[in-house]
Amino acid sequence: ETGVTQSPTHLIKTRGQQVTLRCSSQSGHNTVSWYQQALGQGPQFIFQYYREEENGRGNFPPRFSGLQFPNYSSELNVNALELDDSALYLCASSLPQGQETQYFGPGTRLLVL
Amino acid sequence: GEDVEQSLFLSVREGDSSVINCTYTDSSSTYLYWYKQEPGAGLQLLTYIFSNMDMKQDQRLTVLLNKKDKHLSLRIADTQTGDSAIYFCAESDHGSSNTGKLIFGQGTTLQVKP
């Protein structure tokens, strides 16, 4: 167990809807990164949050957005869901540069119909 | 661009050694990682190696890094059926944003036969 928790564990949405996924970081970790893992693929970096601000973004459209709260927990929001958004969404927490090893939560499996 | 390549599948007998290989492209990576993923689960950090090291051993796990060839390997000694999972190699990429994002390979499925 890494101490990183995510909710919900599973979610079913329809195309066009919006979804919010949540992540609580490991105690003492102030950096949260989000990844999308499509079936049969490795995780792809979405973005990272540090001190409540976005600190780097992968090749994902603006309808993927996020927040980080003062307690370092984080949300991933996806608007206008598309079928290809169906994936396992993984959250990872870490300390910033210097001790950057990322510890992953169990993930949220999203199915878009 | 950044890319991490792994072979897709490896099958071994219980008790044998397993060697999972990975190649990466970003020579500026600070750390290289091995993660394990069991069916329906998140990623479990197995081990990592700092880029100025050649080898790291942690119980049954041995990581070898050839920085010249940008080749990373994970050796699992005395492989057990509980080691059956998908293994991901990842490099850290700081790029211009100093983010430390991880670039993952596609994963190697390890099948351990009794």
Side-chain angles (χ1 to χ4, degrees), chain B residues 16-89:
Chain B
D16 287 349
S17 292
S18 306
V19 180
I20 302 171
N21 295 299
C22 167
T23 57
Y24 62 96
T25 56
D26 187 354
S27 58
S28 66
S29 291
T30 311
Y31 293 91
L32 294 138
Y33 299 87
W34 285 102
Y35 284 89
K36 176 184 180 182
Q37 188 175 40
E38 298 187 18
L43 298 179
Q44 175 193 350
L45 177 67
L46 284 178
T47 187
Y48 63 91
I49 188 167
F50 191 54
S51 58
N52 69 354
M53 297 170 65
D54 298 324
M55 186 184 87
K56 180 179 180 181
Q57 187 154 2
D58 184 0
Q59 299 181 334
R60 291 191 298 124
L61 305 179
T62 303
V63 179
L64 295 178
L65 174 60
N66 181 329
K67 203 170 179 183
K68 173 176 169 288
D69 295 337
K70 297 179 186 168
H71 183 267
L72 183 73
S73 67
L74 173 70
R75 178 177 181 269
I76 305 173
D78 187 25
T79 312
Q80 302 298 306
T81 54
D83 294 325
S84 294
I86 302 175
Y87 290 79
F88 289 96
C89 166

Side-chain angles (χ1 to χ4, degrees), chain B residues 18 79 96 107 109-110:
Chain B
S18 306
T79 312
S96 58
T109 298
L110 176 62

Side-chain angles (χ1 to χ4, degrees), chain A residues 4-79:
Chain A
V4 180
T5 61
Q6 292 187 242
S7 64
T9 55
H10 295 82
L11 203 51
I12 300 175
K13 291 285 188 179
T14 56
R15 196 169 46 182
Q17 285 189 311
Q18 178 265 344
V19 69
T20 298
L21 310 181
R22 295 178 175 83
C23 171
S24 291
S25 61
Q26 185 171 329
S27 177
H29 284 184
N30 55 13
T31 302
V32 173
S33 304
W34 286 92
Y35 293 82
Q36 180 195 66
Q37 186 181 19
L39 198 62
Q41 302 295 316
Q44 299 287 319
F45 176 74
I46 302 174
F47 44 55
Q48 183 181 87
Y49 277 83
Y50 170 58
R51 291 185 175 177
E52 302 177 52
E53 292 194 0
E54 189 179 288
N55 181 43
R57 188 178 184 92
N59 189 26
F60 281 81
R63 59 189 185 84
F64 285 77
S65 63
L67 285 173
Q68 187 180 32
F69 300 99
N71 66 354
Y72 307 136
S73 66
S74 178
E75 288 182 354
L76 164 66
N77 299 289
V78 187
N79 294 321

Side-chain angles (χ1 to χ4, degrees), chain B residues 1-22:
Chain B
E2 311 140 346
D3 197 16
V4 177
E5 298 281 342
Q6 299 178 240
S7 53
L8 295 183
F9 186 78
L10 176 65
S11 180
V12 301
R13 292 245 173 242
E14 191 174 20
D16 287 349
S17 292
S18 306
V19 180
I20 302 171
N21 295 299
C22 167

